[in-house]
PDB file of all heavy atoms in Angstrom:
ATOM      1  N   ALA V   1     104.758  42.727  68.385  1.00  0.00           N
ATOM      2  CA  ALA V   1     104.929  41.977  67.136  1.00  0.00           C
ATOM      3  C   ALA V   1     106.111  41.036  67.224  1.00  0.00           C
ATOM      4  O   ALA V   1     106.032  39.873  66.790  1.00  0.00           O
ATOM      5  CB  ALA V   1     105.105  42.947  65.975  1.00  0.00           C
ATOM      6  N   ALA V   2     107.229  41.504  67.786  1.00  0.00           N
ATOM      7  CA  ALA V   2     108.410  40.650  67.897  1.00  0.00           C
ATOM      8  C   ALA V   2     108.113  39.423  68.754  1.00  0.00           C
ATOM      9  O   ALA V   2     108.487  38.293  68.405  1.00  0.00           O
ATOM     10  CB  ALA V   2     109.575  41.451  68.483  1.00  0.00           C
ATOM     11  N   ALA V   3     107.409  39.629  69.870  1.00  0.00           N
ATOM     12  CA  ALA V   3     107.100  38.509  70.766  1.00  0.00           C
ATOM     13  C   ALA V   3     106.106  37.543  70.115  1.00  0.00           C
ATOM     14  O   ALA V   3     106.300  36.323  70.146  1.00  0.00           O
ATOM     15  CB  ALA V   3     106.536  39.042  72.084  1.00  0.00           C
ATOM     16  N   TRP V   4     105.044  38.069  69.520  1.00  0.00           N
ATOM     17  CA  TRP V   4     103.974  37.239  68.960  1.00  0.00           C
ATOM     18  C   TRP V   4     104.458  36.401  67.773  1.00  0.00           C
ATOM     19  O   TRP V   4     104.258  35.188  67.713  1.00  0.00           O
ATOM     20  CB  TRP V   4     102.799  38.124  68.556  1.00  0.00           C
ATOM     21  CG  TRP V   4     101.706  37.431  67.776  1.00  0.00           C
ATOM     22  CD1 TRP V   4     101.302  37.692  66.510  1.00  0.00           C
ATOM     23  CD2 TRP V   4     100.864  36.365  68.234  1.00  0.00           C
ATOM     24  NE1 TRP V   4     100.276  36.878  66.134  1.00  0.00           N
ATOM     25  CE2 TRP V   4      99.981  36.046  67.173  1.00  0.00           C
ATOM     26  CE3 TRP V   4     100.762  35.643  69.425  1.00  0.00           C
ATOM     27  CZ2 TRP V   4      99.025  35.041  67.271  1.00  0.00           C
ATOM     28  CZ3 TRP V   4      99.811  34.635  69.521  1.00  0.00           C
ATOM     29  CH2 TRP V   4      98.956  34.340  68.455  1.00  0.00           C
ATOM     30  N   PHE V   5     105.122  37.061  66.820  1.00  0.00           N
ATOM     31  CA  PHE V   5     105.510  36.346  65.606  1.00  0.00           C
ATOM     32  C   PHE V   5     106.723  35.433  65.821  1.00  0.00           C
ATOM     33  O   PHE V   5     106.884  34.450  65.105  1.00  0.00           O
ATOM     34  CB  PHE V   5     105.751  37.338  64.466  1.00  0.00           C
ATOM     35  CG  PHE V   5     104.481  37.983  63.985  1.00  0.00           C
ATOM     36  CD1 PHE V   5     104.211  39.312  64.256  1.00  0.00           C
ATOM     37  CD2 PHE V   5     103.533  37.239  63.302  1.00  0.00           C
ATOM     38  CE1 PHE V   5     103.028  39.899  63.839  1.00  0.00           C
ATOM     39  CE2 PHE V   5     102.341  37.810  62.877  1.00  0.00           C
ATOM     40  CZ  PHE V   5     102.090  39.147  63.146  1.00  0.00           C
ATOM     41  N   THR V   6     107.549  35.740  66.801  1.00  0.00           N
ATOM     42  CA  THR V   6     108.604  34.805  67.169  1.00  0.00           C
ATOM     43  C   THR V   6     107.999  33.554  67.796  1.00  0.00           C
ATOM     44  O   THR V   6     108.405  32.423  67.491  1.00  0.00           O
ATOM     45  CB  THR V   6     109.605  35.451  68.133  1.00  0.00           C
ATOM     46  OG1 THR V   6     110.213  36.591  67.502  1.00  0.00           O
ATOM     47  CG2 THR V   6     110.701  34.456  68.524  1.00  0.00           C
ATOM     48  N   TYR V   7     107.000  33.741  68.649  1.00  0.00           N
ATOM     49  CA  TYR V   7     106.287  32.604  69.253  1.00  0.00           C
ATOM     50  C   TYR V   7     105.652  31.728  68.166  1.00  0.00           C
ATOM     51  O   TYR V   7     105.762  30.497  68.220  1.00  0.00           O
ATOM     52  CB  TYR V   7     105.214  33.117  70.206  1.00  0.00           C
ATOM     53  CG  TYR V   7     104.139  32.092  70.505  1.00  0.00           C
ATOM     54  CD1 TYR V   7     104.369  31.061  71.421  1.00  0.00           C
ATOM     55  CD2 TYR V   7     102.907  32.137  69.861  1.00  0.00           C
ATOM     56  CE1 TYR V   7     103.392  30.099  71.680  1.00  0.00           C
ATOM     57  CE2 TYR V   7     101.925  31.189  70.109  1.00  0.00           C
ATOM     58  CZ  TYR V   7     102.173  30.168  71.014  1.00  0.00           C
ATOM     59  OH  TYR V   7     101.220  29.224  71.257  1.00  0.00           O
ATOM     60  N   LEU V   8     104.992  32.349  67.205  1.00  0.00           N
ATOM     61  CA  LEU V   8     104.335  31.574  66.142  1.00  0.00           C
ATOM     62  C   LEU V   8     105.336  30.720  65.378  1.00  0.00           C
ATOM     63  O   LEU V   8     105.080  29.542  65.068  1.00  0.00           O
ATOM     64  CB  LEU V   8     103.609  32.517  65.181  1.00  0.00           C
ATOM     65  CG  LEU V   8     102.355  33.205  65.711  1.00  0.00           C
ATOM     66  CD1 LEU V   8     101.787  34.162  64.661  1.00  0.00           C
ATOM     67  CD2 LEU V   8     101.299  32.189  66.118  1.00  0.00           C
ATOM     68  N   GLN V   9     106.494  31.293  65.048  1.00  0.00           N
ATOM     69  CA  GLN V   9     107.480  30.557  64.271  1.00  0.00           C
ATOM     70  C   GLN V   9     108.105  29.416  65.075  1.00  0.00           C
ATOM     71  O   GLN V   9     108.272  28.303  64.571  1.00  0.00           O
ATOM     72  CB  GLN V   9     108.576  31.512  63.772  1.00  0.00           C
ATOM     73  CG  GLN V   9     108.092  32.496  62.728  1.00  0.00           C
ATOM     74  CD  GLN V   9     109.171  33.477  62.318  1.00  0.00           C
ATOM     75  OE1 GLN V   9     110.087  33.123  61.576  1.00  0.00           O
ATOM     76  NE2 GLN V   9     109.075  34.708  62.807  1.00  0.00           N
ATOM     77  N   VAL V  10     108.433  29.700  66.319  1.00  0.00           N
ATOM     78  CA  VAL V  10     109.135  28.712  67.146  1.00  0.00           C
ATOM     79  C   VAL V  10     108.191  27.617  67.640  1.00  0.00           C
ATOM     80  O   VAL V  10     108.524  26.425  67.603  1.00  0.00           O
ATOM     81  CB  VAL V  10     109.828  29.399  68.340  1.00  0.00           C
ATOM     82  CG1 VAL V  10     110.424  28.366  69.279  1.00  0.00           C
ATOM     83  CG2 VAL V  10     110.912  30.356  67.849  1.00  0.00           C
ATOM     84  N   VAL V  11     106.988  27.992  68.077  1.00  0.00           N
ATOM     85  CA  VAL V  11     106.072  27.039  68.719  1.00  0.00           C
ATOM     86  C   VAL V  11     105.046  26.479  67.746  1.00  0.00           C
ATOM     87  O   VAL V  11     104.898  25.251  67.618  1.00  0.00           O
ATOM     88  CB  VAL V  11     105.355  27.702  69.916  1.00  0.00           C
ATOM     89  CG1 VAL V  11     104.376  26.722  70.554  1.00  0.00           C
ATOM     90  CG2 VAL V  11     106.378  28.190  70.937  1.00  0.00           C
ATOM     91  N   GLU V  12     104.307  27.343  67.044  1.00  0.00           N
ATOM     92  CA  GLU V  12     103.211  26.887  66.200  1.00  0.00           C
ATOM     93  C   GLU V  12     103.693  26.247  64.899  1.00  0.00           C
ATOM     94  O   GLU V  12     103.167  25.223  64.463  1.00  0.00           O
ATOM     95  CB  GLU V  12     102.276  28.061  65.877  1.00  0.00           C
ATOM     96  CG  GLU V  12     101.550  28.619  67.088  1.00  0.00           C
ATOM     97  CD  GLU V  12     100.538  27.637  67.659  1.00  0.00           C
ATOM     98  OE1 GLU V  12     100.014  26.812  66.883  1.00  0.00           O
ATOM     99  OE2 GLU V  12     100.277  27.694  68.870  1.00  0.00           O
ATOM    100  N   LEU V  13     104.681  26.869  64.258  1.00  0.00           N
ATOM    101  CA  LEU V  13     105.121  26.400  62.945  1.00  0.00           C
ATOM    102  C   LEU V  13     106.392  25.562  62.989  1.00  0.00           C
ATOM    103  O   LEU V  13     106.658  24.790  62.062  1.00  0.00           O
ATOM    104  CB  LEU V  13     105.351  27.609  62.012  1.00  0.00           C
ATOM    105  CG  LEU V  13     104.110  28.455  61.698  1.00  0.00           C
ATOM    106  CD1 LEU V  13     104.514  29.697  60.909  1.00  0.00           C
ATOM    107  CD2 LEU V  13     103.085  27.644  60.932  1.00  0.00           C
ATOM    108  N   ASP V  14     107.178  25.718  64.046  1.00  0.00           N
ATOM    109  CA  ASP V  14     108.466  25.027  64.143  1.00  0.00           C
ATOM    110  C   ASP V  14     109.296  25.266  62.891  1.00  0.00           C
ATOM    111  O   ASP V  14     109.911  24.365  62.326  1.00  0.00           O
ATOM    112  CB  ASP V  14     108.255  23.519  64.357  1.00  0.00           C
ATOM    113  CG  ASP V  14     109.545  22.807  64.753  1.00  0.00           C
ATOM    114  OD1 ASP V  14     110.448  23.487  65.272  1.00  0.00           O
ATOM    115  OD2 ASP V  14     109.646  21.581  64.528  1.00  0.00           O
ATOM    116  N   ALA V  15     109.292  26.502  62.419  1.00  0.00           N
ATOM    117  CA  ALA V  15     110.042  26.900  61.224  1.00  0.00           C
ATOM    118  C   ALA V  15     110.380  28.376  61.359  1.00  0.00           C
ATOM    119  O   ALA V  15     109.592  29.155  61.902  1.00  0.00           O
ATOM    120  CB  ALA V  15     109.219  26.642  59.962  1.00  0.00           C
ATOM    121  N   LEU V  16     111.546  28.758  60.869  1.00  0.00           N
ATOM    122  CA  LEU V  16     111.992  30.144  60.998  1.00  0.00           C
ATOM    123  C   LEU V  16     112.168  30.772  59.621  1.00  0.00           C
ATOM    124  O   LEU V  16     112.701  30.161  58.705  1.00  0.00           O
ATOM    125  CB  LEU V  16     113.316  30.215  61.763  1.00  0.00           C
ATOM    126  CG  LEU V  16     113.296  29.743  63.223  1.00  0.00           C
ATOM    127  CD1 LEU V  16     114.690  29.844  63.818  1.00  0.00           C
ATOM    128  CD2 LEU V  16     112.306  30.552  64.042  1.00  0.00           C
ATOM    129  N   CYS V  17     111.685  32.003  59.508  1.00  0.00           N
ATOM    130  CA  CYS V  17     111.866  32.793  58.294  1.00  0.00           C
ATOM    131  C   CYS V  17     112.966  33.821  58.558  1.00  0.00           C
ATOM    132  O   CYS V  17     112.797  34.699  59.413  1.00  0.00           O
ATOM    133  CB  CYS V  17     110.555  33.487  57.941  1.00  0.00           C
ATOM    134  SG  CYS V  17     110.731  34.777  56.685  1.00  0.00           S
ATOM    135  N   PRO V  18     114.091  33.750  57.862  1.00  0.00           N
ATOM    136  CA  PRO V  18     115.184  34.705  58.102  1.00  0.00           C
ATOM    137  C   PRO V  18     114.755  36.162  57.918  1.00  0.00           C
ATOM    138  O   PRO V  18     115.173  37.036  58.677  1.00  0.00           O
ATOM    139  CB  PRO V  18     116.238  34.305  57.061  1.00  0.00           C
ATOM    140  CG  PRO V  18     115.947  32.863  56.764  1.00  0.00           C
ATOM    141  CD  PRO V  18     114.465  32.728  56.878  1.00  0.00           C
ATOM    142  N   TYR V  19     113.917  36.412  56.899  1.00  0.00           N
ATOM    143  CA  TYR V  19     113.433  37.780  56.682  1.00  0.00           C
ATOM    144  C   TYR V  19     112.653  38.262  57.910  1.00  0.00           C
ATOM    145  O   TYR V  19     112.864  39.378  58.397  1.00  0.00           O
ATOM    146  CB  TYR V  19     112.501  37.819  55.464  1.00  0.00           C
ATOM    147  CG  TYR V  19     113.198  37.695  54.132  1.00  0.00           C
ATOM    148  CD1 TYR V  19     113.255  36.472  53.479  1.00  0.00           C
ATOM    149  CD2 TYR V  19     113.767  38.802  53.510  1.00  0.00           C
ATOM    150  CE1 TYR V  19     113.870  36.345  52.244  1.00  0.00           C
ATOM    151  CE2 TYR V  19     114.385  38.694  52.280  1.00  0.00           C
ATOM    152  CZ  TYR V  19     114.435  37.459  51.644  1.00  0.00           C
ATOM    153  OH  TYR V  19     115.049  37.346  50.434  1.00  0.00           O
ATOM    154  N   CYS V  20     111.747  37.422  58.379  1.00  0.00           N
ATOM    155  CA  CYS V  20     110.894  37.808  59.509  1.00  0.00           C
ATOM    156  C   CYS V  20     111.705  37.994  60.785  1.00  0.00           C
ATOM    157  O   CYS V  20     111.528  38.978  61.517  1.00  0.00           O
ATOM    158  CB  CYS V  20     109.816  36.752  59.734  1.00  0.00           C
ATOM    159  SG  CYS V  20     108.880  36.328  58.255  1.00  0.00           S
ATOM    160  N   MET V  21     112.599  37.037  61.055  1.00  0.00           N
ATOM    161  CA  MET V  21     113.378  37.117  62.287  1.00  0.00           C
ATOM    162  C   MET V  21     114.309  38.320  62.271  1.00  0.00           C
ATOM    163  O   MET V  21     114.501  38.986  63.300  1.00  0.00           O
ATOM    164  CB  MET V  21     114.165  35.820  62.483  1.00  0.00           C
ATOM    165  CG  MET V  21     113.300  34.598  62.757  1.00  0.00           C
ATOM    166  SD  MET V  21     112.179  34.823  64.175  1.00  0.00           S
ATOM    167  CE  MET V  21     113.361  35.015  65.516  1.00  0.00           C
ATOM    168  N   ALA V  22     114.885  38.620  61.105  1.00  0.00           N
ATOM    169  CA  ALA V  22     115.756  39.801  61.001  1.00  0.00           C
ATOM    170  C   ALA V  22     114.945  41.069  61.244  1.00  0.00           C
ATOM    171  O   ALA V  22     115.380  41.982  61.963  1.00  0.00           O
ATOM    172  CB  ALA V  22     116.410  39.843  59.627  1.00  0.00           C
ATOM    173  N   SER V  23     113.742  41.112  60.678  1.00  0.00           N
ATOM    174  CA  SER V  23     112.885  42.279  60.867  1.00  0.00           C
ATOM    175  C   SER V  23     112.499  42.441  62.335  1.00  0.00           C
ATOM    176  O   SER V  23     112.508  43.553  62.875  1.00  0.00           O
ATOM    177  CB  SER V  23     111.636  42.135  59.993  1.00  0.00           C
ATOM    178  OG  SER V  23     110.766  43.235  60.174  1.00  0.00           O
ATOM    179  N   HIS V  24     112.168  41.331  63.008  1.00  0.00           N
ATOM    180  CA  HIS V  24     111.757  41.417  64.412  1.00  0.00           C
ATOM    181  C   HIS V  24     112.946  41.750  65.319  1.00  0.00           C
ATOM    182  O   HIS V  24     112.780  42.456  66.325  1.00  0.00           O
ATOM    183  CB  HIS V  24     111.124  40.100  64.861  1.00  0.00           C
ATOM    184  CG  HIS V  24     109.856  39.786  64.122  1.00  0.00           C
ATOM    185  ND1 HIS V  24     108.908  40.742  63.859  1.00  0.00           N
ATOM    186  CD2 HIS V  24     109.386  38.625  63.585  1.00  0.00           C
ATOM    187  CE1 HIS V  24     107.900  40.192  63.198  1.00  0.00           C
ATOM    188  NE2 HIS V  24     108.175  38.914  63.021  1.00  0.00           N
ATOM    189  N   LEU V  25     114.123  41.251  64.978  1.00  0.00           N
ATOM    190  CA  LEU V  25     115.319  41.592  65.757  1.00  0.00           C
ATOM    191  C   LEU V  25     115.618  43.081  65.642  1.00  0.00           C
ATOM    192  O   LEU V  25     115.889  43.760  66.652  1.00  0.00           O
ATOM    193  CB  LEU V  25     116.513  40.765  65.267  1.00  0.00           C
ATOM    194  CG  LEU V  25     117.833  40.986  66.015  1.00  0.00           C
ATOM    195  CD1 LEU V  25     117.676  40.601  67.484  1.00  0.00           C
ATOM    196  CD2 LEU V  25     118.960  40.168  65.369  1.00  0.00           C
ATOM    197  N   VAL V  26     115.541  43.587  64.417  1.00  0.00           N
ATOM    198  CA  VAL V  26     115.736  45.026  64.219  1.00  0.00           C
ATOM    199  C   VAL V  26     114.637  45.804  64.930  1.00  0.00           C
ATOM    200  O   VAL V  26     114.888  46.836  65.560  1.00  0.00           O
ATOM    201  CB  VAL V  26     115.748  45.360  62.709  1.00  0.00           C
ATOM    202  CG1 VAL V  26     115.701  46.880  62.500  1.00  0.00           C
ATOM    203  CG2 VAL V  26     116.989  44.788  62.050  1.00  0.00           C
ATOM    204  N   GLY V  27     113.406  45.290  64.845  1.00  0.00           N
ATOM    205  CA  GLY V  27     112.288  45.960  65.499  1.00  0.00           C
ATOM    206  C   GLY V  27     112.462  46.031  67.003  1.00  0.00           C
ATOM    207  O   GLY V  27     112.117  47.049  67.622  1.00  0.00           O
ATOM    208  N   PHE V  28     113.005  44.956  67.600  1.00  0.00           N
ATOM    209  CA  PHE V  28     113.242  44.956  69.046  1.00  0.00           C
ATOM    210  C   PHE V  28     114.263  46.030  69.418  1.00  0.00           C
ATOM    211  O   PHE V  28     114.056  46.815  70.354  1.00  0.00           O
ATOM    212  CB  PHE V  28     113.730  43.579  69.487  1.00  0.00           C
ATOM    213  CG  PHE V  28     114.012  43.483  70.963  1.00  0.00           C
ATOM    214  CD1 PHE V  28     112.986  43.276  71.864  1.00  0.00           C
ATOM    215  CD2 PHE V  28     115.309  43.624  71.448  1.00  0.00           C
ATOM    216  CE1 PHE V  28     113.231  43.200  73.232  1.00  0.00           C
ATOM    217  CE2 PHE V  28     115.575  43.554  72.800  1.00  0.00           C
ATOM    218  CZ  PHE V  28     114.537  43.338  73.695  1.00  0.00           C
ATOM    219  N   GLY V  29     115.373  46.072  68.667  1.00  0.00           N
ATOM    220  CA  GLY V  29     116.390  47.092  68.941  1.00  0.00           C
ATOM    221  C   GLY V  29     115.857  48.490  68.714  1.00  0.00           C
ATOM    222  O   GLY V  29     116.141  49.425  69.487  1.00  0.00           O
ATOM    223  N   LEU V  30     115.061  48.651  67.647  1.00  0.00           N
ATOM    224  CA  LEU V  30     114.473  49.963  67.349  1.00  0.00           C
ATOM    225  C   LEU V  30     113.512  50.392  68.454  1.00  0.00           C
ATOM    226  O   LEU V  30     113.463  51.577  68.822  1.00  0.00           O
ATOM    227  CB  LEU V  30     113.745  49.885  66.002  1.00  0.00           C
ATOM    228  CG  LEU V  30     113.066  51.157  65.506  1.00  0.00           C
ATOM    229  CD1 LEU V  30     114.078  52.282  65.346  1.00  0.00           C
ATOM    230  CD2 LEU V  30     112.355  50.887  64.170  1.00  0.00           C
ATOM    231  N   ALA V  31     112.754  49.435  68.985  1.00  0.00           N
ATOM    232  CA  ALA V  31     111.813  49.760  70.064  1.00  0.00           C
ATOM    233  C   ALA V  31     112.553  50.295  71.289  1.00  0.00           C
ATOM    234  O   ALA V  31     112.108  51.267  71.935  1.00  0.00           O
ATOM    235  CB  ALA V  31     111.000  48.518  70.438  1.00  0.00           C
ATOM    236  N   ILE V  32     113.691  49.697  71.627  1.00  0.00           N
ATOM    237  CA  ILE V  32     114.485  50.165  72.776  1.00  0.00           C
ATOM    238  C   ILE V  32     114.965  51.594  72.534  1.00  0.00           C
ATOM    239  O   ILE V  32     114.898  52.460  73.421  1.00  0.00           O
ATOM    240  CB  ILE V  32     115.681  49.224  73.029  1.00  0.00           C
ATOM    241  CG1 ILE V  32     115.191  47.803  73.327  1.00  0.00           C
ATOM    242  CG2 ILE V  32     116.535  49.761  74.169  1.00  0.00           C
ATOM    243  CD1 ILE V  32     114.248  47.696  74.502  1.00  0.00           C
ATOM    244  N   CYS V  33     115.440  51.849  71.297  1.00  0.00           N
ATOM    245  CA  CYS V  33     115.898  53.203  70.956  1.00  0.00           C
ATOM    246  C   CYS V  33     114.755  54.205  71.062  1.00  0.00           C
ATOM    247  O   CYS V  33     114.927  55.325  71.566  1.00  0.00           O
ATOM    248  CB  CYS V  33     116.470  53.228  69.539  1.00  0.00           C
ATOM    249  SG  CYS V  33     117.986  52.276  69.319  1.00  0.00           S
ATOM    250  N   CYS V  34     113.560  53.815  70.598  1.00  0.00           N
ATOM    251  CA  CYS V  34     112.402  54.707  70.650  1.00  0.00           C
ATOM    252  C   CYS V  34     112.016  55.027  72.097  1.00  0.00           C
ATOM    253  O   CYS V  34     111.656  56.170  72.417  1.00  0.00           O
ATOM    254  CB  CYS V  34     111.216  54.065  69.930  1.00  0.00           C
ATOM    255  SG  CYS V  34     111.390  53.978  68.136  1.00  0.00           S
ATOM    256  N   ILE V  35     112.093  54.020  72.957  1.00  0.00           N
ATOM    257  CA  ILE V  35     111.752  54.238  74.370  1.00  0.00           C
ATOM    258  C   ILE V  35     112.729  55.224  75.004  1.00  0.00           C
ATOM    259  O   ILE V  35     112.339  56.135  75.754  1.00  0.00           O
ATOM    260  CB  ILE V  35     111.766  52.892  75.121  1.00  0.00           C
ATOM    261  CG1 ILE V  35     110.594  52.027  74.648  1.00  0.00           C
ATOM    262  CG2 ILE V  35     111.693  53.117  76.628  1.00  0.00           C
ATOM    263  CD1 ILE V  35     110.626  50.617  75.197  1.00  0.00           C
ATOM    264  N   ILE V  36     114.016  55.059  74.700  1.00  0.00           N
ATOM    265  CA  ILE V  36     115.039  55.971  75.262  1.00  0.00           C
ATOM    266  C   ILE V  36     114.788  57.408  74.802  1.00  0.00           C
ATOM    267  O   ILE V  36     114.841  58.358  75.587  1.00  0.00           O
ATOM    268  CB  ILE V  36     116.444  55.511  74.850  1.00  0.00           C
ATOM    269  CG1 ILE V  36     116.763  54.155  75.493  1.00  0.00           C
ATOM    270  CG2 ILE V  36     117.484  56.556  75.232  1.00  0.00           C
ATOM    271  CD1 ILE V  36     118.067  53.547  75.010  1.00  0.00           C
ATOM    272  N   LEU V  37     114.482  57.554  73.506  1.00  0.00           N
ATOM    273  CA  LEU V  37     114.260  58.902  72.959  1.00  0.00           C
ATOM    274  C   LEU V  37     112.985  59.518  73.506  1.00  0.00           C
ATOM    275  O   LEU V  37     112.954  60.695  73.872  1.00  0.00           O
ATOM    276  CB  LEU V  37     114.190  58.833  71.430  1.00  0.00           C
ATOM    277  CG  LEU V  37     115.513  58.537  70.711  1.00  0.00           C
ATOM    278  CD1 LEU V  37     115.264  58.200  69.241  1.00  0.00           C
ATOM    279  CD2 LEU V  37     116.449  59.754  70.829  1.00  0.00           C
ATOM    280  N   ALA V  38     111.905  58.737  73.566  1.00  0.00           N
ATOM    281  CA  ALA V  38     110.632  59.277  74.038  1.00  0.00           C
ATOM    282  C   ALA V  38     110.684  59.637  75.519  1.00  0.00           C
ATOM    283  O   ALA V  38     110.047  60.602  75.955  1.00  0.00           O
ATOM    284  CB  ALA V  38     109.521  58.254  73.784  1.00  0.00           C
ATOM    285  N   ALA V  39     111.463  58.864  76.277  1.00  0.00           N
ATOM    286  CA  ALA V  39     111.552  59.108  77.720  1.00  0.00           C
ATOM    287  C   ALA V  39     112.252  60.422  78.050  1.00  0.00           C
ATOM    288  O   ALA V  39     112.145  60.922  79.179  1.00  0.00           O
ATOM    289  CB  ALA V  39     112.272  57.946  78.392  1.00  0.00           C
ATOM    290  N   GLN V  40     112.951  60.993  77.076  1.00  0.00           N
ATOM    291  CA  GLN V  40     113.652  62.262  77.320  1.00  0.00           C
ATOM    292  C   GLN V  40     112.703  63.456  77.329  1.00  0.00           C
ATOM    293  O   GLN V  40     113.120  64.581  77.571  1.00  0.00           O
ATOM    294  CB  GLN V  40     114.741  62.460  76.260  1.00  0.00           C
ATOM    295  CG  GLN V  40     115.854  61.439  76.363  1.00  0.00           C
ATOM    296  CD  GLN V  40     116.928  61.616  75.311  1.00  0.00           C
ATOM    297  OE1 GLN V  40     117.019  62.666  74.683  1.00  0.00           O
ATOM    298  NE2 GLN V  40     117.769  60.607  75.131  1.00  0.00           N
ATOM    299  N   ASP V  41     111.460  63.208  77.017  1.00  0.00           N
ATOM    300  CA  ASP V  41     110.453  64.280  77.085  1.00  0.00           C
ATOM    301  C   ASP V  41     109.409  63.871  78.125  1.00  0.00           C
ATOM    302  O   ASP V  41     108.364  63.297  77.805  1.00  0.00           O
ATOM    303  CB  ASP V  41     109.779  64.463  75.717  1.00  0.00           C
ATOM    304  CG  ASP V  41     108.964  65.737  75.647  1.00  0.00           C
ATOM    305  OD1 ASP V  41     108.610  66.268  76.718  1.00  0.00           O
ATOM    306  OD2 ASP V  41     108.674  66.189  74.531  1.00  0.00           O
ATOM    307  N   PRO V  42     109.675  64.134  79.408  1.00  0.00           N
ATOM    308  CA  PRO V  42     108.785  63.675  80.492  1.00  0.00           C
ATOM    309  C   PRO V  42     107.401  64.311  80.451  1.00  0.00           C
ATOM    310  O   PRO V  42     106.482  63.834  81.113  1.00  0.00           O
ATOM    311  CB  PRO V  42     109.540  64.079  81.763  1.00  0.00           C
ATOM    312  CG  PRO V  42     110.435  65.202  81.336  1.00  0.00           C
ATOM    313  CD  PRO V  42     110.823  64.914  79.927  1.00  0.00           C
ATOM    314  N   ALA V  43     107.242  65.375  79.678  1.00  0.00           N
ATOM    315  CA  ALA V  43     105.934  66.037  79.616  1.00  0.00           C
ATOM    316  C   ALA V  43     104.905  65.170  78.896  1.00  0.00           C
ATOM    317  O   ALA V  43     103.697  65.350  79.081  1.00  0.00           O
ATOM    318  CB  ALA V  43     106.063  67.387  78.913  1.00  0.00           C
ATOM    319  N   VAL V  44     105.387  64.265  78.053  1.00  0.00           N
ATOM    320  CA  VAL V  44     104.492  63.374  77.308  1.00  0.00           C
ATOM    321  C   VAL V  44     104.339  62.078  78.095  1.00  0.00           C
ATOM    322  O   VAL V  44     105.320  61.370  78.342  1.00  0.00           O
ATOM    323  CB  VAL V  44     105.038  63.079  75.895  1.00  0.00           C
ATOM    324  CG1 VAL V  44     104.112  62.110  75.165  1.00  0.00           C
ATOM    325  CG2 VAL V  44     105.177  64.381  75.108  1.00  0.00           C
ATOM    326  N   LYS V  45     103.140  61.759  78.504  1.00  0.00           N
ATOM    327  CA  LYS V  45     102.882  60.563  79.294  1.00  0.00           C
ATOM    328  C   LYS V  45     102.907  59.317  78.411  1.00  0.00           C
ATOM    329  O   LYS V  45     102.310  59.289  77.333  1.00  0.00           O
ATOM    330  CB  LYS V  45     101.528  60.665  80.001  1.00  0.00           C
ATOM    331  CG  LYS V  45     101.403  61.876  80.926  1.00  0.00           C
ATOM    332  CD  LYS V  45     102.454  61.836  82.042  1.00  0.00           C
ATOM    333  CE  LYS V  45     102.319  63.025  82.982  1.00  0.00           C
ATOM    334  NZ  LYS V  45     103.367  63.009  84.042  1.00  0.00           N
ATOM    335  N   ALA V  46     103.577  58.294  78.901  1.00  0.00           N
ATOM    336  CA  ALA V  46     103.726  57.067  78.115  1.00  0.00           C
ATOM    337  C   ALA V  46     102.511  56.161  78.198  1.00  0.00           C
ATOM    338  O   ALA V  46     102.171  55.457  77.239  1.00  0.00           O
ATOM    339  CB  ALA V  46     104.970  56.305  78.581  1.00  0.00           C
TER     340      ALA V  46
END
């Protein structure tokens, strides 16, 4: 979602929504945190 909707705003629309960009920035950071946490349980295949 962060990659797709950032592309749409920058390339397709040439306009940025602060709400959307803030949400995607938080989402990117949250995704990294989720990967770190999930990786601590190697029994669950990613």
Side-chain angles (χ1 to χ4, degrees):
W4 171 243
F5 290 108
T6 300
Y7 160 79
L8 289 177
Q9 291 177 75
V10 174
V11 178
E12 294 292 332
L13 297 173
D14 192 23
L16 296 178
C17 167
Y19 286 98
C20 308
M21 293 305 296
S23 179
H24 296 318
L25 182 62
V26 170
F28 180 81
L30 180 60
I32 300 303
C33 294
C34 289
I35 291 173
I36 294 173
L37 289 168
Q40 294 179 16
D41 193 340
V44 178
K45 302 299 181 182

